[in-house]
Amino acid sequence: MINCRLSTGHILPTPTYKSKPCNTGGGGSDVSSLAVLLEEGKFGRYGGKFVPETLISCLSQLEAEFSSIAHDAGFQMELATTLKDYVGRETPLYFAQRLTEYHKRPNGEGPEIYLKREDLNHSGAHKINNAVAQAMLAKRMGRKKVVAATGAGQHGVATAAACARLSLECTIYMGSKDIQKQAHNVSQMKLLGAQVNCVDGTFKDATSEAIRHWVGNLETVFYLSGTVVGPHPCPTMVREFQSVIGKETKKQAMEKWGGKPDVLLACVGSGSNALGLFHEFIGDKDVRLIGVEAAGLGLESGRHSATLSTGEVGVYHGAMSYLLQDQDGQIIGPYSIGVGLEYPSVGPEVSFLKDIKRAEFYTVTDEEALEAFQTLCKLEGIVPALEASHALAFLSKLCPTMANGTRIVVNCSGRGDKDLPTVEGRLKQGMDL
Amino acid sequence: MAAALSSVVALPSSSLSKPKLSISSLFKYYSLAPSARRPSPPSISCTLTRDPTVQMVDDKETNIRVLQRPDSFGRFGKFGGKYVPETLMHALTELESAFHSLAADEDFQKELDGILRDYVGRESPLYFAERLTDHYKRSNGEGPHIYLKREDLNHTGAHKINNAVAQALLAKRLGKKRIIAETGAGQHGVATATVCARFGLQCIIYMGAQDMERQSLNVFRMRLLGAEVRAVHSGTATLKDATSQAIRDWVTNVESTHYILGSVAGPHPYPMMVREFHAVIGKETRKQAMEKWGGKPDILVACVGGGSNAMGLFHEFVNDTEVRLIGIEAAGFGLDSGKHAATLTKGEVGVLHGAMSYLLQDDDGQIIEPHSISAGLDYPGVGPEHSFLKDIGRAEYYSVTDQEALEAFKRLSRLEGIIPALETSHALAYLEKLCPTLPDGTKLVLNCSGRGDKDVQTAIKYLEV
């Protein structure tokens, strides 16, 4: 993989917007809503297909297949049934009363906090929305084998589950460091019938290895990308499959309070759960979009995953985006207590939203995330994933600035069962409890 | 009559050849040393239990005479009842009237429905398990259609939360600020701690010291949720001892405290109340079956420990006599090994934790320590209503070994990408024996009562993965 400082000194086309009907299917066509223009998989200057020639025709085939399912009623109905009966959708939009009270100011004013309960999905995170859809796509393309890479293991587990259900052979690549930290997820993948291959390093190394596996077996293997990174059409495809989160939220907000959310808040590793929530609302300028990255041990420490705050533009895993790279263009290993946030780059669409200032991005440290984790446990009886805890932690900074009655929807992107050993270890190291 | 009920040690009716009674459990309420040798049972008889008539009532909807379950004394035939110290009688009566008035209270129902929907994640889907169905097809392509009721998708991963949430809401209505519960492996403890956090109630969980060691992650989880976990060292330091301790606490603190019992066991009104709170499972199933195939299920299958998930699924259909009800208990190392929890198959009638029911007891009326690879089925008793349904032949009960359950655990994981709880795996294991006997197209609904994340480490040890 070549990392390239293309951005320096080049004149790049300015991002153009075109009005087009929002093809999100939610409640009638809002023709004037802003939609991101895609030219060959670009979001402004980000995205693209920076891949070896051998992959180009495969990606085109994938793109064609993906376009065709949009009009395939049979596929859509099967997907809807799977999401409902297998995954357990719709996920509730839950009013977190005690959390809302907690963040109120002394005069009793403050925002209303709602949690979008992606933690209730089968396999415990939002990852499955995309995994079941792509597994169906793989079957449709006649592939019998699926390969994927996973960081925290949630995508690995979701993929293994989706493949088991459709009798697809499943191979998951996982970094050795991650395998150690998320052993429970590894066991689950094996139980579900997947083969788990250990790769020296972390998610970024596992991804590289999975792509290598794919390139060597293009005719027979389907590469199931877990997040909105990689060469076109992967970012668009994964975002589309995750956009059910935002679609439901729009409908549920209307049912609950007859309006839209004012603020959407989500953690950002590569960006799949955030884009899944945001996408439906991108054209709604009155809805504020906030993404929270991992500041790990602090931005100055160099041990973090805050790509959008401290990164620079380059090419990684086939797409141009912000990434954490050193002076020589070498990838800096990211770090966070939330393993799913440990990616040295970020989805190209996310980079674009940052540049056009449609979305705002902040960071939160390990400690702040741990505290938010414990707060949600004690106040709402929900054990959130450490990744989602980053979004929850930002509420401490955000809520004091919110007008009374502002409606915030936080994407509770996963449950935290997988993180209990980590949290226990960290707390024993002499913090609370 | 009421006085006689509360103070008498009742024996089973005289038609039994060898009256046995778990006196040890009753004496635990009075804090005798657990290791003291018990005298042989005194010959006290009670007129109430002799030849009890099964009450019949008119079902409001269908106008057919149906069984009253339970009757006004909390009996299901001769099972059930309120075998408790006098100090608890008032609390139980208060609880029963609170329950009945709230059942009719629209505001309460609406609030509960909202919580079940937005917090717990209901309705849980009725999922057609295509690969599992194919797996059981005979060589001529015939076989039953298998549907899974996905209680594993509930918040906290099992059906337990349905009851915990409702009882916490009930406690709040009663003005109680302190909640106690017992737990074995920790699932009910976690569910209770969860709802207490949600409703801002003080939570104390009693857990056997041995269980605490085996389930340290669940202990940590309960503490994270703000609960106080108290170790119980008496007896074998397991579930039954934790239950006794919880009952002791309740006797002492009855004014301020509500006891969230985790299953359809215990003194009336608990078996009825817990069943009613889980009945949403069966109600949804009826509606979903109608939507999916325009009819009712032919067979309902569920695992049975205390019996709550099974009653939750069955209750709606008890009066639909064409619907077959099958409960599966844990045979552990095998029924003849003595290490099992197959109460309905191998147990005898006695009183435990306030109710008359089948239970695993030895010749001296001492409780036999049950065994199952799945902690949730590891209870030496069973809900009185199950004992009743067995005796009248309305439901059938079988058992499945640890090994068979483990195989079923792996099978569902591989075929459907769903890792079931080991408890649920017992019900799934029975499909091996059941499906070959079923006509083509039989509609079978199995209660997938919980997810198996908690069992992955155990299973990996035994299975070759």
Side-chain angles (χ1 to χ4, degrees), chain A residues 267-283:
Chain A
C267 64
V268 174
S270 324
S272 62
N273 93 84
L275 285 178
L277 179 64
F278 293 174
H279 182 67
E280 180 70 12
F281 297 92
I282 296 214

Side-chain angles (χ1 to χ4, degrees), chain B residues 88 163-164 167-168 171 176-183 188-189 192-193 195-196 201-207 227-228 230 242-254 256-262 270:
Chain B
L88 282 183
N163 168 59
Q167 285 205 45
K176 312 275 187 179
K177 296 204 163 37
R178 187 174 175 270
I179 302 289
I180 59 172
E182 84 295 339
T183 193
H188 174 59
T192 305
V195 302
C196 288
L201 299 163
Q202 183 193 10
C203 182
I204 292 153
I205 307 286
Y206 288 97
M207 195 170 181
E228 182 192 336
R230 292 190 186 165
T243 309
S244 303
Q245 190 63 30
I247 293 173
R248 238 173 254 138
D249 180 316
W250 199 30
V251 173
T252 318
N253 298 295
V254 109
S256 62
T257 303
H258 177 66
Y259 176 27
I260 296 192
L261 235 164
Y270 280 104

Side-chain angles (χ1 to χ4, degrees), chain A residues 81 84-88 90 92-95 97-98 117 119-123 160-168 183-184 187-194 256 373-374 377-383 415 417 420-421 423-424 427 433, chain B residues 117-121 123 125-128 130-131 150 152-156 193-201 216-217 220-221 223-226 291-292 409-410 413-419 451-454 456-457 459-460 463 465:
Chain A
T81 307
K84 179 166 152 286
D85 286 353
Y86 184 66
V87 174
E90 310 174 343
L93 184 63
Y94 167 71
F95 175 53
Q97 185 169 23
R98 291 193 79 205
R117 301 292 301 280
D119 60 297
L120 291 176
N121 285 337
H122 179 52
S123 74
C163 288
R165 211 180 144 259
L166 294 180
S167 334
L168 296 166
H184 185 74
S187 304
Q188 287 198 64
M189 285 182 252
K190 289 181 176 164
L191 264 171
L192 292 164
K256 282 193 185 304
F373 176 99
Q374 293 177 79
C377 287
K378 290 214 162 54
L379 291 181
E380 295 288 349
I382 297 172
V383 180
R415 57 175 143 98
D417 301 53
L420 289 176
V423 173
E424 193 181 25
L427 292 179
L433 222 76
Chain B
R117 193 189 59 232
D118 285 353
Y119 185 66
V120 174
E123 317 176 333
L126 185 63
Y127 168 71
F128 176 54
E130 192 176 333
R131 285 196 77 200
R150 300 292 300 279
D152 59 298
L153 291 176
N154 290 341
H155 180 47
T156 65
T194 297
V195 302
C196 288
R198 165 77 181 61
F199 290 105
L201 299 163
S216 57
L217 205 61
F220 175 64
R221 196 195 308 254
R223 288 181 173 147
L224 264 177
L225 293 162
E291 280 164 5
K292 284 194 185 302
F409 178 95
K410 187 174 171 184
S413 302
R414 293 282 159 99
L415 289 179
E416 294 289 349
I418 298 170
I419 302 180
R451 58 174 143 94
D453 301 39
K454 62 186 179 64
V456 166
Q457 296 314 319
I460 292 257
L463 296 167
V465 174

Side-chain angles (χ1 to χ4, degrees), chain A residues 33-56:
Chain A
S33 56
L34 223 75
V36 172
L37 175 69
L38 299 179
E39 281 173 11
E40 289 176 14
K42 305 278 270 179
F43 303 88
R45 63 177 172 165
Y46 301 105
K49 280 185 190 180
F50 294 86
V51 293
E53 193 59 36
T54 31
L55 271 184
I56 291 286

Side-chain angles (χ1 to χ4, degrees), chain A residues 140-156:
Chain A
R140 184 190 168 83
M141 289 170 76
R143 302 282 193 269
K144 297 212 169 18
K145 301 180 189 194
V146 164
V147 71
T150 192
Q154 287 307 116
H155 175 60

Side-chain angles (χ1 to χ4, degrees), chain B residues 18-21 37 40-41 348 361-366 368:
Chain B
K18 215 173 166 188
K20 278 198 196 138
L21 180 62
R37 283 296 295 160
S40 29
E348 298 185 35
Q361 56 184 329
D362 64 18
D363 287 341
D364 298 314
Q366 298 298 308
I368 295 173

